[in-house]
Amino acid sequence: MIIDTKNLSEDKIYKIMISTIAPRPIAWISTVSKDGIYNIAPFSFYMGVSSSPPLVAVSIGKRDDDRKKDTWKNIEETGEFVINVVTYDLVEKMNITAAPFEDYVDEFQEAGLTPLPSDLVKAPRIKESPINIECKKFMILDIADMGLVFGEILRYHIDDTLLNEKGYVDNKKIKFIGRLGGADYCIVSAENIFTLKRPDKR
């Protein structure tokens, strides 16, 4: 089958993209509004961009009524956010925070999650997540109806039990969740991780 995107609606293009760009890591972003309301929402158009400076990029869309989503608005106004890692035991709570709550609703309360103070930003961390990444806004690009948010990583908070002897996260000790197409997800766990070394340069 050959699919030409010029002949497809935006909705169909989106569905093909999320089912072919997979699996995708999930940036479970916590922010605080300028009025002090906590917000959490998951986004899977998310990637690392650079290690010097340490940058990540997250694509955030608008609401159905064309308003900017709370996460986008909060990052734009405060310049700060936290990315929290989603593990298998947190998927149900993560899914609750995907609902289109109004901006006066505290998603920590709705999902039964615990906010923790961050060290360098005002946005709270999610206590239940084993990895929290404090970030500050680097820049935001407006692309059609999306905001491409670039964040500079300031500080990591990592559960000590996940670290190996070299001080890195042992991926076999954590059940990462990946986003697929539709309502599908996948689990990255020890039994389906394999090692493949790169060939030497020739």
Side-chain angles (χ1 to χ4, degrees), residues 26 55 65 75 93 125 136 142 182 189 191 193 196:
I26 300 169
L55 298 178
D65 59 7
I75 294 172
K93 292 182 181 293
R125 297 180 287 131
K136 70 175 182 180
D142 286 312
S189 54
E191 56 270 19
I193 292 177
L196 186 63

Side-chain angles (χ1 to χ4, degrees), residues 40-114:
I40 316 171
F43 300 92
S44 65
F45 274 17
Y46 162 51
M47 63 177 289
V49 175
S50 166
S51 58
S52 182
L55 298 178
V56 292
V58 184
S59 183
I60 302 175
K62 292 184 177 179
R63 293 174 178 265
D64 292 338
D65 59 7
D66 207 40
R67 288 183 295 157
K68 292 178 180 178
K69 289 184 177 179
D70 298 336
T71 302
W72 180 351
K73 184 176 67 173
N74 290 348
I75 294 172
E76 197 169 54
E77 292 178 348
T78 69
E80 300 175 341
F81 62 102
V82 177
I83 295 174
N84 305 275
V85 167
V86 181
T87 55
Y88 181 67
D89 58 325
L90 292 172
V91 290
E92 295 294 339
K93 292 182 181 293
M94 181 272 301
N95 198 40
I96 292 172
T97 66
F101 293 107
E102 289 298 328
D103 58 8
Y104 55 81
V105 175
D106 182 336
E107 276 95 345
F108 277 92
Q109 293 182 7
E110 293 295 325
L113 293 165
T114 310

